[in-house]
Amino acid sequence: MRLPRGNRNNRVMDHVTELRLVLTVDGYDAALAFYRDALGMREHAAYDAPNGGRVTLLDAGRATVELADQRQAEYIDEVEVGRRVSGRIRVAFEVSDAGEATRRLAAAGADVIAAPTRTPWQSLNARLTDPDGVQLTLFQELDD
């Protein structure tokens, strides 16, 4: 189903120009290796704080915010995993090959909750947990 784009009332409004998801992790080097090296997100910038803190911005391509009510979240979990498993936040990444990406992330320390599964919305979705416990969906859009 395609939804209309744009502002319904045609008023000039400020708009969001970037979504930045900030993950505070216990193992910075391991997280960087997981997301940059294993998942393949390109490094955009990196900064060091005076107190020794580190941050790296990784390019995630196009960003969207998906809002789902509890019944929709239950349905998605049922389709992708077979049972209710997600919390309030789940991070989803579009990949070109869900099976290969799932294997690569599992080798990098992810726990696979559900192997890639064909969904009614014509994608191949896998569910994982990253080494810090953040729940991820990898999805591959199917052509047919």
Side-chain angles (χ1 to χ4, degrees):
M1 172 174 70
R2 280 277 186 222
L3 299 175
R5 294 178 179 252
N7 183 356
R8 288 182 182 244
N9 60 13
N10 295 322
R11 291 189 344 230
V12 175
M13 299 178 66
D14 287 334
H15 62 278
V16 174
T17 58
E18 180 179 354
L19 169 66
R20 215 174 258 191
L21 175 66
V22 180
L23 300 178
T24 301
V25 297
D26 294 327
Y28 178 83
D29 292 325
L32 188 58
F34 183 84
Y35 285 98
R36 184 190 60 198
D37 304 335
L39 186 56
M41 298 173 75
R42 291 176 305 175
E43 190 170 314
H44 176 71
Y47 305 98
D48 295 325
N51 68 357
R54 298 178 291 164
V55 64
T56 300
L57 283 69
L58 301 172
D59 186 357
R62 184 177 63 94
T64 60
V65 174
E66 182 176 320
L67 302 175
D69 65 15
Q70 289 295 325
R71 290 185 300 184
Q72 181 65 22
E74 290 168 6
Y75 176 67
I76 292 169
D77 280 358
E78 183 62 35
V79 167
E80 292 182 4
V81 181
R83 67 188 189 287
R84 185 75 166 116
V85 295
S86 66
R88 296 183 57 81
I89 296 175
R90 177 175 46 85
V91 183
F93 295 100
E94 183 175 4
V95 296
S96 60
D97 184 330
E100 191 275 327
T102 299
R103 287 187 292 279
R104 194 172 62 242
L105 293 183
D111 289 326
V112 177
I113 299 170
T117 303
R118 187 181 189 101
T119 68
W121 43 91
Q122 300 308 309
S123 62
L124 195 60
N125 293 19
R127 193 70 70 88
L128 305 96
T129 304
D130 82 359
D132 277 294
V134 176
Q135 197 166 120
L136 311 174
T137 293
L138 301 179
F139 68 98
Q140 172 187 344
E141 297 294 354
L142 301 174
D143 293 331
D144 49 7

